[in-house]
Amino acid sequence: MIDFFVKHKITTIMLVLVFVVLGIYSYSNLLVEKFPKIDYPIVTVSIEYAGATPLEIETLIVKKVEDAVSEISEIKKMKSNSYDSLGFVSIEFLLSADVNVKSIEVKDKVDAILNDLPDDIKKPVIEKYDPLVQPVVDLVLSSDSLDVRELYEYADKTLKTRFASIAGVAKVDVYGGRKRQINVRLDPMLMKQRYISISEVINQMLAKNKNIPAGDLEKGFSSLNVRFIGEFQDVGEISEMELVSADGGTFRLKDIAFVEDGFKKIKTNARFNGREVVGLSVNKSSDGNAVSIAKQMRLRLNEFRSRLPEGMKLDIASDTTTFIIKETDSTQFSIIYGLIFTALILYLFLGKWETTFIACIIIPISIASTFFPVWMSNFSINTITLIAIVTVLGTLISNALVIIENVLVHLKRGEDPEQAAIKGTKEVVVPIIASTGTNLVVFMPIAMMAGLVGLFMKSFGLTVVYATLFSLLSSFSLTPMLCAAILKPETNNKNGLSFGLLKKMLVPFEWMCLQIDRSIEFLKKEYRYVFDFIFRHPKMTILAVVLMFFASFFLVPYIENDFAPQSDEDQIRINMILPQGSTIERTIETAKLVEGYLDKIPEKKSYLTNIGENGVENAKITLDLVPLKDRHRGDTEVMDDLTRFMSRIPDLEVSFERGIALEPGTGDIAIDLYGIDYDRMIELSKKMKELMQQSGYFRSVISSYKTPRNEIRLLPRQEKVIEYGLTSAGAGSTLRYSIYGEDSNVYKEKGEEYKVNIELSDKYAQDYDDLNLISIRSRKGLIPIYTLGELKTDKAIPVIRHRDRERVIHLDGFLGKSAFGYVSGLLDEKFKSMDFPAGYGYRYVGNAENMQESNREISKAFTLAVILTFMLLCALMNSLIAYPITIITTVATSVIGMMLGLLLTGHLINVASLMGGVMLVGMVVNNAILLLDYALVKMKEGVPVKEALWLGASEKFRVIIMTSLAIILGVLPQFWSVMEVKQSMGAVMTGGMLASIVFTFIFVPVVFWYLERFERIFSRR
């Protein structure tokens, strides 16, 4: 086939261009995302029960849902939270499960128990959950002249619909502002005078506020529709509505209530740069593309603005795709820089522009062709696939370099270029297949990994496999063809250029090439002394390298470890929690205090505040920073500054988030405390929280257990309820209507429906004594509701968490320094001093579970990669001992470089660095393959082993250094990235490849020398 490719140049070019054209076409169709599209096997159930306490939510809703869905197979873990008025259950299934099927099964189980749940709950919301999905764009609607109710009305009724029409948008959430509502505020004193209860007011309004179709009057060929019109035509009609009391008296609603066209009680508030606004959060669908949505939103922004009512302004407050686009562009530039560095190193080592051109053309051809199978595999352009291309950049050129270097050897002998290309390529078929094969057998296990890391790394592994295969195709087809067409036999003009001006321009480069040649020859000459030394002291050499290998593990305590590195993405999310029982007014005032400090931060670009997203005591501020290159402080330094300020705000708990978290809101160190008695668990959790805070490693520690807020309870006496002819449900409903309100009535205007909420006036719903004014209709007349039982003040548990159907108290620790590995070990020592009774204990969750699973899967992939590499080498060389074992030892020696690389660059042991270690298995063996393959050829010619090893080392000295430096320079731009993932991989791969260069020349010859003798002895037997 090589003969065919060399002699049929046009055919060869067209064969390669087919994949290039398909790749370019595929690239234009690929979506741009931050991470690969992943179907997380998580289903959530949310049930709202307005006015219920967390204890009631747990007992009446959450436990029943948990019991029902626990019967479903393939559940990995189940978590639940019981809040005020809301129950939330999260079911995570095994990765082997079909999340679409499981979602249907969960819905069926919840539907089956609906009759067992309280009547007043809202319809359960069951949906698939993706922790990486965040709002694509947050927009804010503001005005200098209009009130926020009008802004909310326009955002909710008009803008929301327009935004939803953009392709890929799943929903648009509106927050902040004031939602229009007709408020009927009853005066309990006037109600007593008129002898009417709140339930009677509600029922009479429901009976009156109806339109009823009566049918058709038909005569001959025509018909006439008849309708009864009872619905309110305007707000004024509501206040004029006539009511009838139990004693037959009639009066108007306005006689006992104040009716206003107002707004719903404020539960959320939105602020942008310190100004009250209405926020619109645009969320993408599961198959939507964030970058495309953001692009369309910006393109149509002026259109949306042109249709706004006078006085309204629409602005983009936050765009999560900005970093995605910036990092994608940065990675693409890294590929270009890597290509330039590789071209430069090739020219400096080979000294020929022709060879540099041939070698470098392989890289863009391989990359362009790779996009075709990437598109066919339904992947996208994202951080993972781009890192894969950057990582493989140097290895794409290595095969071509080996061929070119060998072809040049034949040309120096005076052979015809065509024959030199054919012979030079055929001679290195085995080492090229071996080195390419090792890449394939390493990256296939990466693509096959299970667990969470496997979901991410599937596209990574397969992208590298695709690129490697196209590199192999180009190396055996295009490379020899171009060598035959372009390269000429050696002449005095090394560059093959005779143009005077151009030659003068190349003088500096020629001087550099000359210096490289001299350096290589000098190193080769000095290496001869090293080579002789290691063979004079072979045992000492092996012992020294083995000791270095084991000594490298003593560096591990000095290299911190964590799950996944986080990066400075020019955005910080500040989460604030005030004590339970705080009003939204207090939360707003606290947020204003923080906003005032944010205005003084020079790195601030803008900030968006969302208050009340998960309760009125919670607030989140999204702080966008100016680009990293334009500021003097990193995001962690800004966080440290904010921590010092916010620690002075009384009763405020604060946490910071950067980047995207797999479990949003979960701390760097997350702990679940479990036990038997909840009160004892509370005591232990307080002690654990105190120890964590005293360690000095945390910015903040937040417990799921909050100080209970006061609660007034009406405990009915059953005999009294029966005496007055009432029911507990009826009495409870009256109490709820009076304080929380009842909004089953609606008012219709211009095709829109607005809630009519009936409740006691605010001035009669403020403290304990106001409850004495609430009356209920009984068979003995209108009585104060407190006569049915006893009013008692107690404490209410604010939030109740479950893990696998058992109560837990959750602790989130947000680190200010160090990393999970070291701090968790320190905490374990501190927690030993605590007295954990039998049945009580703690476990690390969140990132700790993900890290444990990822480490296990990466270890499997590493082991499989080593085994498959060994098997491939055995098969190619028909050897079980000397050749494959010697080459595998380079994997072990690369660990020395990996550890030193992490230590010297200050990076952590994490998923990214461990993945870099797995990838090195397929790269570090290539140098030993080149050396030993040439040595084996010479041994077959009758050259003694030691001399053959020297010939292999000396003849391949240049190409080994050149290909290794090409790989290193290919990943070098990763160190400039703001993404810690790339930097960690770059540190591991650079350290590992440098170690490979050193130990290939020092360790490999001695090991092979011993093993070859052992194999000969073994084969004789």
Side-chain angles (χ1 to χ4, degrees), residues 332-349:
Q332 291 172 344
F333 278 118
S334 295
I335 294 172
I336 295 171
Y337 293 148
L339 180 58
I340 293 171
F341 289 152
T342 303
L344 181 61
I345 200 70
L346 295 182
Y347 176 73
L348 293 177
F349 272 81

Side-chain angles (χ1 to χ4, degrees), residues 559-748:
I559 305 172
E560 295 182 342
N561 63 87
D562 209 336
F563 170 53
Q566 291 185 322
S567 308
D568 188 335
E569 299 187 6
D570 303 332
Q571 187 181 86
I572 299 171
R573 293 181 296 281
I574 309 168
N575 300 305
M576 300 184 294
I577 305 174
L578 286 162
Q580 296 294 309
S582 299
T583 61
I584 193 167
E585 287 76 17
R586 180 182 179 184
T587 309
I588 291 172
E589 289 304 311
T590 303
K592 287 180 179 179
L593 188 63
V594 176
E595 289 173 351
Y597 191 78
L598 293 180
D599 286 327
K600 301 174 184 177
I601 294 178
E603 295 82 6
K604 179 213 73 173
K605 180 181 177 183
S606 65
Y607 56 84
L608 175 65
T609 305
N610 186 351
I611 298 170
E613 186 175 10
N614 293 309
V616 296
E617 67 278 357
N618 298 313
K620 181 178 76 173
I621 300 178
T622 302
L623 172 62
D624 285 313
L625 305 174
V626 297
L628 181 60
K629 61 182 177 64
D630 297 328
R631 49 188 160 94
H632 299 293
R633 295 191 297 179
D635 60 349
T636 54
E637 294 173 281
V638 175
M639 287 158 61
D640 290 338
D641 185 9
L642 287 169
T643 300
R644 287 188 291 269
F645 169 76
M646 298 177 75
S647 63
R648 300 196 295 268
I649 301 177
D651 303 325
L652 178 66
E653 289 186 323
V654 62
S655 63
F656 299 91
E657 290 182 281
R658 54 200 292 258
I660 292 182
L662 290 175
E663 298 189 34
T666 301
D668 303 303
I669 293 183
I671 300 173
D672 273 349
L673 171 67
Y674 58 88
I676 301 170
D677 179 66
Y678 197 66
D679 290 333
R680 182 68 175 130
M681 289 167 59
I682 293 171
E683 295 175 14
L684 291 171
S685 70
K686 289 180 178 179
K687 179 63 176 176
M688 292 175 71
K689 181 178 179 181
E690 183 181 352
L691 289 173
M692 292 173 72
Q693 290 171 329
Q694 291 174 353
S695 70
Y697 286 94
F698 296 94
R699 284 194 180 92
S700 61
V701 180
I702 297 177
S703 172
S704 65
Y705 174 77
K706 309 296 181 185
T707 302
R709 65 177 182 179
N710 291 328
E711 178 181 78
I712 301 173
R713 299 178 180 179
L714 175 58
L715 305 176
R717 295 191 184 96
Q718 196 59 34
E719 63 275 13
K720 287 285 186 180
V721 174
I722 295 173
E723 177 187 343
Y724 287 104
L726 298 170
T727 63
S728 295
S733 296
T734 298
L735 192 63
R736 175 184 169 83
Y737 299 158
S738 301
I739 300 171
Y740 184 83
E742 203 281 339
D743 61 2
S744 56
N745 277 285
V746 295
Y747 167 67
K748 297 178 182 178

Side-chain angles (χ1 to χ4, degrees), residues 859-889:
S859 297
K860 289 180 183 178
F862 180 83
T863 304
L864 183 58
V866 172
I867 292 173
L868 291 176
T869 300
F870 179 80
M871 294 172 65
L872 176 68
L873 295 172
C874 290
L876 287 173
M877 302 309 298
N878 194 32
S879 170
L880 279 174
I881 301 175
Y883 186 82
I885 293 178
T886 301
I887 292 175
I888 287 297
T889 59

